[in-house]
Amino acid sequence: MCGIVGYVGNEEAAPILLDGLRRLEYRGYDSAGVAIQEASGIEVVRAVGKLRNLEKALFDRPLQGSVGIGHTRWATHGRPSEVNAHPHVAGPIAVVHNGIIENHLRLRAELEKGGFTITSDTDTEIVSHLIHRETRAGHDMLTSIRRALAQVEGAYAIAVVSEAEPRRIVVAKSSSPLVLGVSRNATYCASDIPALLPYTNEMVFMEDGEIAVLDPDGFSLSTLAGEPVNRRSRKISWSPVMAEKAGYKHFMLKEIFEQPRALEDTMRGRLDRERADVETAEIGLSDEDAKAIRRVILLACGTSHHATIAGRYWIEELAKLPAITELASEFRGRDAVIGEGDLVIAVSQSGETIDTLMAAKEAKARGAKVLAIANVNGSAIPRMADASFYTHAGPEIGVASTKCFMTQLANLLMFSIWLSRRRGTLSEGEAREIVEGLVRIPHQIEERLEAMHEKISDMVREFSNARDVLFLGRGLSFPMALEGALKLKEISYVHAEGYAAGEMKHGPIALLDAEVPVIVLAPQDRHHERVCSNLQEARAREAKIIGVTTAGDAQTQSLCDAFVEVAPVHEVLSPFLTVVPLQLYAYCVADHKGTDVDQPRNLAKTVTVE
Ligand code: AGP
């Protein structure tokens, strides 16, 4: 949460910083600011609210200079206000920060005792004063920052400018993400790749405990302890166009429509149709490793957690291995029983979610092997993991995850097939049916998307005023019901619950009346009959039923007030299809209500606080 960006080169910094912040706005959007080295010294402009307020402030007070840092904030310490917005200035120093300084109260008291005046409620301002204190003691910028950071505990990615060394930016990282970009005559830093894509594809991922000095000719990297680090940049294959809306009203809608392509990219080169198997040499796990696994533990948060529930069902059913899912935030500090023989699969779109990262580290420390499934190449979770299996969804900008969820499902299913083939629990014939079915999925989504969007846009007119919505599903449709409810909550602010259909009668049925739409996932699978019974129970309480049914299932459709059809598929593949109308439903309700679809209130795309 929070996005930072920095530029040092020969062009005007302000437009580059604003452009970078626009691409990082999904990380936080309650205030923003920039600090630029002008001829007379560092000047700061900050504004509360969305980035357009900062743009306006910069229009009224243009800043000129070719070195600067910027920040878009998701408040943790101190409410959104101009005084709490970054950059924070102390003497000749300005700092932007993403993360949390845990010992800030003690440091604040110490600084105040030493005569420093702290004007904001933030933990970040403390860092700027600590650095200032060191520069006052006569240290250069790099040494001052090293010495200051030795005093702080917590998570940070910081970028610092100093009037004493006006052609430099110094950046450092611990836990929060930070990437450097290099091009001819300019060097950049940012919290995430899309901020830099219009300027360069050459990127360097910083590791925890590293600090770098950036100038127009490049960067020098070292550890906080002063050891030089030699790391070459790598070429990132994402293009800037991938991070644009391409004519869609919202990123979320574009990303829903990109799902067939995202799936194809994620499966390309990995499905071995001839042998009805999955090619996962890139993961780096051997056949022996597959046989040695005693249990699989899937760790994730939010939408990624819902993907792991489907993953668990697949691993149990296909590979016949015990598998459990854990909310990463609940796993930590619980003394969970875990150790050798356990494979932990940590799933994260960003690869930076702190709860998932810390839980995976804890599991690894206790002897489990960690496999990361992430979308962002080189992000923290794959870096700490023993093995990685990337999704190739391209950059996801909408705060509500859609296409990354879809590709997480693909990787989890492919991994389950790989495991089961190694463990001899899935025959070639069964595997072939699933692999061939999986190959057809992108087309089966694509062929219905347009019409489904139209139908659901019309449908929501009737249902968008509902205060509560229930999503029901059994088996693999249960995690999709959870995901449908989460999507609706996060972007339309409608209260929604996802429930295992069989659980409805144990409580939630009390909520039902004619005002509550119930979205029932009822594809043709082994649970179909029982789900239809649950549907009837809801109908008997006068709830309005919206069915997600297999195409041509007239009997189920006749029980619904409205329905959406998905293509008939092998039952293990149904989540790929049933989740799409739920994403569109959430999108259409939010769009109908006029909420901020891509940047819903109080949320941030990447959650780097616990
Ligand atoms: C998804 O719509 C949410 N915004 C959120 O639940 C997200 O899935 C969660 O924060 C985990 O993020 P990750 O996949 O980047 O780890």
Side-chain angles (χ1 to χ4, degrees):
M1 9 245 327
C2 298
I4 68 173
V5 63
Y7 169 78
V8 46
N10 300 314
E11 312 276 323
E12 281 303 326
I16 296 171
L17 296 177
L18 276 175
D19 184 48
L21 290 177
R22 187 171 60 75
R23 291 164 204 279
L24 291 177
E25 211 183 3
Y26 68 86
R27 298 178 66 86
Y29 31 81
D30 60 45
S31 54
V34 294
I36 288 181
Q37 294 273 10
E38 291 206 307
S40 55
I42 293 174
E43 286 295 331
V44 171
V45 172
R46 306 183 287 188
V48 180
K50 295 269 182 135
L51 198 60
R52 56 180 171 269
N53 297 351
L54 177 66
E55 275 163 350
K56 191 173 167 309
L58 278 167
F59 183 79
D60 297 340
R61 163 71 182 97
L63 297 184
Q64 279 174 342
S66 53
V67 179
I69 53 178
H71 186 270
T72 179
R73 180 168 187 247
W74 186 86
T76 55
H77 293 69
R79 66 187 179 83
S81 66
E82 194 172 323
V83 80
N84 286 334
H86 302 212
H88 287 285
V89 175
I93 302 290
V95 177
V96 290
H97 165 226
N98 167 30
I100 289 183
I101 306 302
E102 280 159 13
N103 58 340
H104 70 107
L105 288 176
R106 188 179 59 69
L107 293 169
R108 174 182 284 262
E110 183 192 306
L111 284 163
E112 281 174 340
K113 220 164 137 197
F116 289 85
T117 308
I118 296 162
T119 52
S120 75
D121 306 318
T122 65
D123 49 339
T124 305
E125 192 185 343
I126 307 302
V127 179
S128 56
H129 288 288
L130 289 176
I131 300 170
H132 182 207
R133 186 165 69 178
E134 298 298 334
T135 57
R136 282 214 314 212
H139 301 295
D140 65 16
M141 188 177 171
L142 178 63
T143 313
S144 298
I145 296 170
R146 276 204 176 109
R147 291 173 64 94
L149 291 177
Q151 300 162 58
V152 309
E153 289 159 17
Y156 57 78
I158 58 166
V160 186
V161 284
S162 164
E163 287 178 357
E165 297 176 45
R167 293 296 289 158
R168 288 180 156 177
I169 299 175
V170 176
V171 297
K173 150 178 167 58
S174 177
S175 290
S176 302
L178 195 58
V179 59
L180 308 182
V182 280
S183 70
R184 263 172 72 89
N185 305 326
T187 311
Y188 309 76
C189 66
S191 300
D192 200 359
I193 298 166
L196 306 183
L197 285 175
Y199 308 100
T200 180
N201 280 74
E202 288 292 333
M203 310 233 180
V204 178
F205 294 90
M206 284 183 63
E207 298 284 353
D208 287 347
E210 289 180 349
I211 188 163
V213 180
L214 320 186
D215 64 33
D217 299 322
F219 64 94
S220 74
L221 193 60
S222 56
T223 64
L224 283 170
E227 290 296 313
V229 174
N230 227 329
R231 185 167 313 128
R232 292 166 62 142
S233 60
R234 14 175 161 148
K235 220 178 193 65
I236 299 298
S237 59
W238 293 357
S239 78
V241 179
M242 288 165 103
E244 302 289 352
K245 275 193 215 155
Y248 286 90
K249 188 169 174 190
H250 296 103
F251 277 111
M252 183 183 177
L253 187 62
K254 174 189 172 230
E255 287 159 3
I256 291 172
F257 273 77
E258 276 177 346
Q259 293 186 110
R261 200 253 333 124
L263 268 180
E264 274 166 0
D265 289 350
T266 296
M267 298 188 306
R268 185 167 300 121
R270 289 166 165 175
L271 287 179
D272 180 344
R273 295 174 70 178
E274 218 170 288
R275 291 188 302 126
D277 204 349
V278 171
E279 175 48 67
T280 53
E282 66 187 292
I283 304 183
L285 291 180
S286 66
D287 290 8
E288 273 50 57
D289 290 332
K291 287 178 195 142
I293 298 167
R294 282 190 297 118
R295 178 175 69 148
V296 178
I297 297 159
L298 297 117
L299 289 176
C301 302
T303 284
S304 300
H305 170 65
H306 300 153
T308 64
I309 301 175
R312 171 195 172 183
Y313 289 8
W314 284 324
I315 289 167
E316 285 175 342
E317 173 155 349
L318 305 178
K320 309 288 180 230
L321 256 177
I324 54 171
T325 54
E326 287 269 8
L327 286 164
S329 55
E330 283 296 312
F331 177 82
R332 290 190 61 200
R334 203 189 70 218
D335 238 355
V337 180
I338 189 163
E340 265 176 53
D342 286 329
L343 174 72
V344 163
I345 307 185
V347 180
S348 170
Q349 174 279 130
S350 59
E352 299 285 350
T353 299
I354 195 84
D355 286 324
T356 311
L357 175 64
M358 300 313 276
K361 280 187 178 169
E362 202 170 307
K364 190 173 175 180
R366 295 204 210 161
K369 242 190 189 350
V370 177
L371 168 67
I373 293 185
N375 193 51
V376 180
N377 213 285
S379 51
I381 296 172
R383 284 205 309 269
M384 61 68 57
D386 299 293
S388 304
F389 191 26
Y390 283 103
T391 54
H392 296 306
E396 188 177 67
I397 310 293
V399 166
S401 180
T402 51
K403 64 174 179 171
C404 283
F405 176 72
M406 186 63 84
T407 56
Q408 288 169 347
L409 291 177
N411 272 16
L412 286 164
L413 178 56
M414 287 192 286
F415 185 70
S416 310
I417 297 170
W418 177 81
L419 264 184
S420 25
R421 297 295 276 142
R422 304 296 123 342
R423 299 175 67 87
T425 52
L426 188 67
S427 72
E428 191 174 325
E430 288 166 312
R432 189 171 306 285
E433 223 187 306
I434 297 171
V435 167
E436 289 305 318
L438 196 47
V439 170
R440 284 193 294 272
I441 292 284
H443 174 68
Q444 286 167 324
I445 297 175
E446 180 123 54
E447 66 182 356
R448 285 174 193 266
L449 255 178
E450 201 76 60
M452 198 182 268
H453 180 212
E454 248 172 63
K455 181 165 186 181
I456 293 174
S457 301
D458 288 343
M459 191 189 285
V460 298
R461 281 177 227 286
E462 194 185 331
F463 298 107
S464 62
N465 287 331
R467 284 209 356 250
D468 306 287
V469 181
L470 217 55
F471 290 73
L472 300 180
R474 275 178 190 257
L476 282 164
S477 293
F478 164 54
M480 300 309 111
L482 293 176
E483 177 57 6
L486 179 65
K487 288 284 90 81
L488 189 62
K489 277 186 271 208
E490 41 178 7
I491 59 168
S492 72
Y493 317 142
V494 171
H495 171 243
E497 296 289 344
Y499 252 92
E503 275 292 297
M504 186 184 62
K505 55 187 177 293
H506 299 291
I509 199 162
L511 290 170
L512 299 188
D513 60 25
E515 305 301 312
V516 181
V518 178
I519 301 188
V520 184
L521 281 73
Q524 287 289 356
D525 60 13
R526 70 189 81 165
H527 308 287
H528 184 253
E529 224 167 274
R530 279 178 296 153
V531 168
C532 286
S533 304
N534 303 133
L535 186 161
Q536 298 272 26
E537 288 156 13
R539 234 165 93 86
R541 273 78 189 175
E542 293 182 0
K544 293 269 175 297
I545 309 291
I546 303 171
V548 177
T549 71
T550 301
D553 181 359
Q555 206 180 348
T556 309
Q557 291 163 2
S558 69
L559 304 173
C560 302
D561 296 277
F563 64 86
V564 187
E565 292 191 324
V566 296
V569 286
H570 187 297
E571 64 175 8
V572 304
L573 300 172
S574 68
F576 293 95
L577 303 185
T578 54
V579 76
V580 178
L582 309 188
Q583 296 167 335
L584 283 169
Y585 185 86
Y587 172 78
C588 292
V589 172
D591 189 36
H592 189 70
K593 292 181 76 173
T595 59
D596 193 339
V597 171
D598 286 330
Q599 293 173 351
R601 68 186 181 202
N602 305 338
L603 295 180
K605 182 77 181 158
T606 308
V607 183
T608 49
V609 294
E610 291 176 62

